[in-house]
Amino acid sequence: MPLGPRLLSFLLPCVLVAASVGEAQTIRYDKPIVIRKGGTYRGNWQSLDPKVPAVTVATSQKVIIEKSNIRSKGTLIHTAFTNANLTIRNTRGVALNPDRPLKEHRYPGRFLVAEEFKNIVVENNEMIGTSGIYLRDYKGNAKLGETVKILRNQARNIDGRYSVGVGRYSDQEYRLVQFVQFNAVRKISGAEIAWNEVINDPGKSRPEENINMYLSSGVPSSRIKIHDNYIQGAYAANPQVNTYAGGGINAGDGSGKTVAEAAGHILVYRNQIVATSNNGIAVSAGHDIEVYHNRVISSGYLPSGVPIPAQNVGLYVWDARGDKARKTFFNITVRDNLVGWSKPLNGRNVQNPTWFPDCEPGKCYGNRVVPGRVTLTMEREEYTRWQNKLKSAGIKVGVVSK
């Protein structure tokens, strides 16, 4: 229902929950809600059924969800096939363990699932233990300013591990999830993923790439902008295994049969990528993608000091699916990044900062390598650098009290 006295009554205290990192407050949760009319909504909703989203948006009218608390054993906020125009801001989302057996393949809920949408804004939210944001099939109109903006959010432990019973997750079986996944979000103008803070702890999370651009594209005059994000941690469900294909950002993914289908017209710049094991920033498909002025730092150790077997490479450009033959892999530029990517299992001072087997001549240049061994102390210094950067820019991430 739209914002009003009845809705505000949900804020009466009843249930004690962890509301944010290092903070607790009493919250009374209401049952799941289905929004069928445009308006501004505030409340506290939960779903204890993995099959039922806590919030469903079933209208194309403009909906704003703000100053709310949402938790769920399944998807937290869901909208599909309604050309949604949805803004979510200053809201806390907590994923609960689905508490189901492995055979059901239930994993922590997405903060947001939006399919066949026209406009999505996700700003100044807090996401705890969720499986991130999934956006598929943009239906918007650039002339009306319809786009995607994911700004100034704070996420902890993006997690795709399957539930294996009450309060337990598998350390082997998982779903591929991301902080942000674009899937067939094509020819979009004005799209931006910026100033987000994403931190994943080993053994408590399992993202694939934290940000992935799958068969998604901007346009030449308005490229998708992924900038000024802080991404720390990307690990296998069991971080001591030697197979893991995730990482920080995949700026181009998916094998497009045509240039129009492929990932393209994407900018990735001024991000800090820290301790994301398998890779820092990858371009495995697409065209007209530029990666520049990023900091990619990884010691190759878990915070406990144990070496990471899946530690691979800081930056790469690799035509993973043979798209050059389809003429959909071209014009990839990777320049002027700072990379420190140690592989301690290969030797105390061994690094593997870059791998560019499919970079066109003159397109990958000016990338600097941190000299010597990258340490856990250097990783911690990156977070201090990030906090100073936020302060200098006057930006606050996560829920902002007003």
Side-chain angles (χ1 to χ4, degrees):
M1 64 193 74
L3 179 61
R6 184 179 172 191
L7 189 57
L8 290 177
S9 71
F10 296 163
L11 302 178
L12 294 174
C14 180
V15 182
L16 182 66
V17 299
S20 65
V21 177
E23 177 185 346
Q25 70 181 49
T26 53
I27 298 171
R28 179 185 175 184
Y29 282 94
D30 199 55
K31 65 183 181 180
I33 183 175
V34 178
I35 297 173
R36 303 186 187 277
K37 291 178 58 178
T40 297
Y41 293 76
R42 296 180 188 173
N44 305 311
W45 304 284
Q46 73 171 353
S47 174
L48 300 180
D49 183 346
K51 300 178 183 178
V52 178
V55 178
T56 300
V57 178
T59 178
S60 62
Q61 297 172 8
K62 185 174 182 178
V63 170
I64 298 173
I65 298 170
E66 66 176 16
K67 299 180 181 179
S68 298
N69 294 281
I70 302 170
R71 66 180 189 175
S72 181
K73 290 189 174 185
T75 302
L76 280 72
I77 304 169
H78 182 267
T79 183
F81 318 120
T82 58
N83 292 316
N85 181 356
L86 174 62
T87 294
I88 308 166
R89 62 194 182 201
N90 284 307
T91 289
R92 292 186 175 98
V94 179
L96 304 174
N97 192 313
D99 295 332
R100 304 302 300 164
L102 177 60
K103 65 182 181 180
E104 293 189 17
H105 294 102
R106 298 287 177 182
Y107 55 97
R110 297 275 195 181
F111 179 77
L112 170 65
V113 171
E115 299 192 62
E116 297 189 14
F117 63 90
K118 62 183 180 183
N119 190 65
I120 298 291
V121 177
V122 182
E123 57 185 8
N124 285 107
N125 300 289
E126 184 175 351
M127 308 170 197
I128 303 170
T130 75
S131 52
I133 298 166
Y134 178 82
L135 305 178
R136 187 189 70 83
D137 201 357
Y138 167 68
K139 299 290 187 182
N141 185 338
K143 293 180 179 179
L144 299 178
E146 294 169 345
T147 189
V148 171
K149 298 285 187 183
I150 300 174
L151 308 173
R152 303 179 303 278
N153 299 285
Q154 190 175 53
R156 293 293 183 273
N157 291 327
I158 302 301
D159 198 359
R161 295 175 298 167
Y162 286 130
S163 177
V164 291
V166 177
R168 296 185 297 123
Y169 289 110
S170 173
D171 66 356
Q172 298 180 16
E173 305 292 331
Y174 54 87
R175 175 87 169 201
L176 300 183
V177 302
Q178 306 79 15
F179 166 61
V180 178
Q181 171 77 78
F182 277 20
N183 181 1
V185 176
R186 294 191 176 104
K187 296 184 178 179
I188 190 170
S189 294
E192 186 176 17
I193 303 168
W195 296 103
N196 300 287
E197 178 182 296
V198 185
I199 297 178
N200 299 301
D201 298 316
K204 298 180 180 179
S205 60
R206 206 292 176 188
E208 189 72 352
E209 290 89 14
N210 281 272
I211 298 175
N212 182 286
M213 297 288 105
Y214 184 82
L215 298 178
S216 296
S217 58
V219 296
S221 61
S222 182
R223 292 183 277 182
I224 296 171
K225 295 179 180 179
I226 304 170
H227 69 91
D228 294 292
N229 298 286
Y230 180 86
I231 296 172
Q232 176 184 308
Y235 308 98
N238 176 357
Q240 296 190 42
V241 302
N242 60 9
T243 55
Y244 174 60
I249 298 173
N250 193 333
D253 196 10
S255 186
K257 295 179 181 178
T258 66
V259 170
E261 288 183 355
H265 302 297
I266 297 167
L267 300 176
V268 179
Y269 59 97
R270 294 201 308 261
N271 300 284
Q272 289 173 258
I273 312 297
V274 181
T276 55
S277 61
N278 176 52
N279 68 65
I281 301 177
V283 185
S284 62
H287 61 91
D288 299 295
I289 296 170
E290 188 168 1
V291 177
Y292 61 98
H293 292 172
N294 299 282
R295 297 176 62 87
V296 182
I297 304 294
S298 184
S299 69
Y301 289 96
L302 297 172
S304 64
V306 174
I308 300 171
Q311 184 82 346
N312 188 6
V313 62
L315 297 176
Y316 78 72
V317 177
W318 173 40
D319 179 14
R321 297 173 177 83
D323 290 330
K324 284 184 177 179
R326 285 180 282 273
K327 299 183 179 180
T328 63
F329 188 95
F330 60 89
N331 198 25
I332 310 299
T333 300
V334 179
R335 63 173 178 84
D336 302 315
N337 301 283
L338 177 67
V339 189
W341 198 270
S342 286
K343 296 191 69 173
L345 287 175
N346 288 18
R348 179 177 174 84
N349 294 312
V350 173
Q351 285 205 44
N352 189 28
T354 62
W355 186 51
F356 298 141
D358 292 305
C359 212
E360 299 170 66
K363 288 290 187 178
C364 293
Y365 61 91
N367 298 293
R368 297 176 293 128
V369 177
V370 174
R373 183 166 59 102
V374 181
T375 65
L376 286 167
T377 297
M378 293 168 69
E379 291 181 1
R380 290 190 290 268
E381 289 170 348
E382 284 300 307
Y383 188 67
T384 300
R385 179 185 295 272
W386 166 246
Q387 291 177 309
N388 292 335
K389 182 178 178 179
L390 291 174
K391 184 176 180 180
S392 296
I395 288 175
K396 294 183 178 181
V397 298
V399 173
V400 178
S401 300
K402 295 182 179 180

